[in-house]
Amino acid sequence: MPSSSHPSSSTGTLVLELVSAEALTAEVRRLRLCRPDGQALPPFTAGSHIRVHLPDAGAEPTRCYSLVNSDGDGLVYEIAVKLKATSRGGSRFMHQLAVGDRIEVEPPKNDFALHDVPHEALLIAGGIGITPILSMARQLQAAGRPYALHYGARSEDLMPYRTEIEAVAGAQARLYFDGGESSRGMRLASVLGAPQASRHVYVCGPRALIDATLTEAQQLGWPRSHIHFELFSVPAATAADRSVTVHLARSGRQLDVPAGTSILDALIAAGCDPLFDCRRGECGMCAVRMLDGEAEHRDYALSDEDHDQGMVCICVARARSRSITLEL
């Protein structure tokens, strides 16, 4: 259980106190965080997230949570956390926090910012993916910029922030309830429509929603530069995942990577120091050249041309061959 003991901050991090907590649904909890001394927090823009440090979390010591509020008076960070049945510890920890508890977080970072050129924003969210999207809607509404919001959930009682969405966006928001059957949810083809030079799409939610949006947009002819997304989960393992022997061409080392372990994690465990950041295949920082073997690409950062030239994101790529050789 979290305690009310006061964590000491690392260089560049903040110690924040939980000042209020509220259940938005049976699964989602709203948390508001402030500095214990009441001083202003570092500013942020819509789409930003904070990274929370988890005590005793082992190899994965942090979790990212989008900021839901607008910058406002600069005194509060609001996040919402869904309790996951398959939680690796982060959502359980956040749901057990009590008012007065303090946690260590990294200042806001924005990897999902609104495009800076004037445009119409098409906002698409599913489930807990509403958190950065609602912040965007608030910023766009305040600035008088054109946008539309499409938000889906299984049912009304499982839709966090429904009241806030209706208050902020009004007729610009359309809500969908599919009862757990995707065929009854939003029709992405009609939501997206034909590509327009003045329109950008922002989508956040389950990986299936993001993948479907990217696929539909591509089929409709949308330029990839006009589709923006964010996800915080890593690709789920599949029954087809296999162990692989990884040869490192430069160092001459050889690693045996189990089916349930990423190549990146295996390299780190072996004492290597690869470049990486997101661990989700979004940023491309961990991309290296594969000199031999066959990979299954699960990243969103690299282009088809990059893949054809042998580049792989080792945080998410899986092997189709029994062995691969990397330029490391």
Side-chain angles (χ1 to χ4, degrees):
M1 293 286 290
S3 71
S4 57
S5 60
H6 300 169
S8 58
S9 63
S10 305
T11 302
T13 62
L14 306 167
V15 172
L16 301 183
E17 183 174 308
L18 181 64
V19 294
S20 70
E22 175 189 359
L24 297 178
T25 73
E27 302 172 327
V28 177
R29 192 184 195 209
R30 182 207 319 250
L31 306 174
R32 290 192 173 100
L33 303 160
C34 297
R35 273 185 161 148
D37 60 8
Q39 295 300 305
L41 294 161
F44 65 93
T45 52
S48 296
H49 66 268
I50 55 173
R51 186 179 291 271
V52 177
H53 289 240
L54 307 179
D56 306 318
E60 297 180 85
T62 64
R63 299 291 188 274
C64 294
Y65 299 101
S66 295
L67 293 168
V68 188
N69 53 319
S70 60
D71 203 14
D73 58 11
L75 298 178
V76 178
Y77 288 159
E78 180 179 326
I79 61 175
V81 182
K82 180 179 179 180
L83 182 61
K84 298 179 180 179
T86 57
S87 170
R88 293 167 293 152
S91 67
R92 287 196 302 272
F93 174 81
M94 299 302 289
H95 271 247
Q96 291 170 357
L97 287 172
V99 171
D101 283 349
R102 297 182 183 181
I103 56 175
E104 183 180 357
V105 310
E106 296 177 19
K109 180 182 179 184
N110 201 339
D111 298 323
F112 189 39
L114 288 165
H115 197 54
D116 54 6
V117 174
H119 65 284
E120 178 185 357
L122 178 58
L123 310 178
I124 301 174
I128 195 63
I130 190 60
T131 50
I133 297 296
L134 179 52
S135 182
M136 290 179 176
R138 285 174 166 147
Q139 181 173 314
L140 292 165
Q141 185 75 25
R145 292 171 55 183
Y147 73 96
L149 170 59
H150 296 262
Y151 179 28
R154 281 178 290 166
S155 61
E156 294 184 22
D157 61 320
L158 293 177
M159 177 174 274
Y161 290 107
R162 180 179 179 183
T163 301
E164 286 87 341
I165 291 165
E166 293 172 339
V168 170
Q172 291 163 283
R174 183 171 178 183
L175 309 181
Y176 305 80
F177 307 102
D178 63 15
E181 299 180 19
S182 58
S183 61
R184 296 168 55 187
M186 70 178 77
R187 299 291 188 267
L188 286 172
S190 60
V191 168
L192 291 167
Q196 299 179 28
S198 61
R199 180 180 292 177
H200 282 247
V201 177
Y202 302 85
V203 56
C204 189
R207 185 174 296 267
L209 173 64
I210 292 172
D211 287 344
T213 302
L214 291 171
T215 298
E216 195 65 53
Q218 182 180 29
Q219 293 174 351
L220 290 169
W222 281 82
R224 179 63 184 81
S225 61
H226 283 222
I227 311 296
H228 314 274
F229 65 93
E230 184 170 52
L231 46 81
F232 290 137
S233 62
V234 298
T238 71
D241 291 347
R242 57 168 47 177
S243 60
V244 60
T245 300
V246 177
H247 302 278
L248 307 182
R250 291 179 180 172
S251 67
R253 297 185 65 182
Q254 175 178 305
L255 304 176
D256 292 321
V257 182
T261 301
S262 72
I263 297 171
L264 173 65
D265 286 339
L267 288 170
I268 294 171
C272 301
D273 188 25
L275 290 173
F276 70 94
D277 184 14
C278 73
R279 290 179 176 266
R280 300 181 302 275
E282 293 181 50
C283 69
M285 186 174 291
C286 71
V288 299
R289 189 174 302 280
M290 185 176 62
L291 303 177
D292 185 58
E294 185 180 4
E296 178 182 334
H297 301 284
R298 299 182 183 177
D299 67 89
Y300 297 91
L302 303 179
S303 65
D304 291 341
E305 182 179 359
D306 292 329
H307 293 155
D308 291 341
Q309 293 176 354
M311 299 302 294
V312 294
C313 284
I314 56 176
C315 66
V316 294
R318 299 290 177 173
R320 289 179 174 170
S321 53
R322 292 295 182 185
S323 66
I324 62 173
T325 302
L326 300 178
E327 194 177 25
L328 289 172

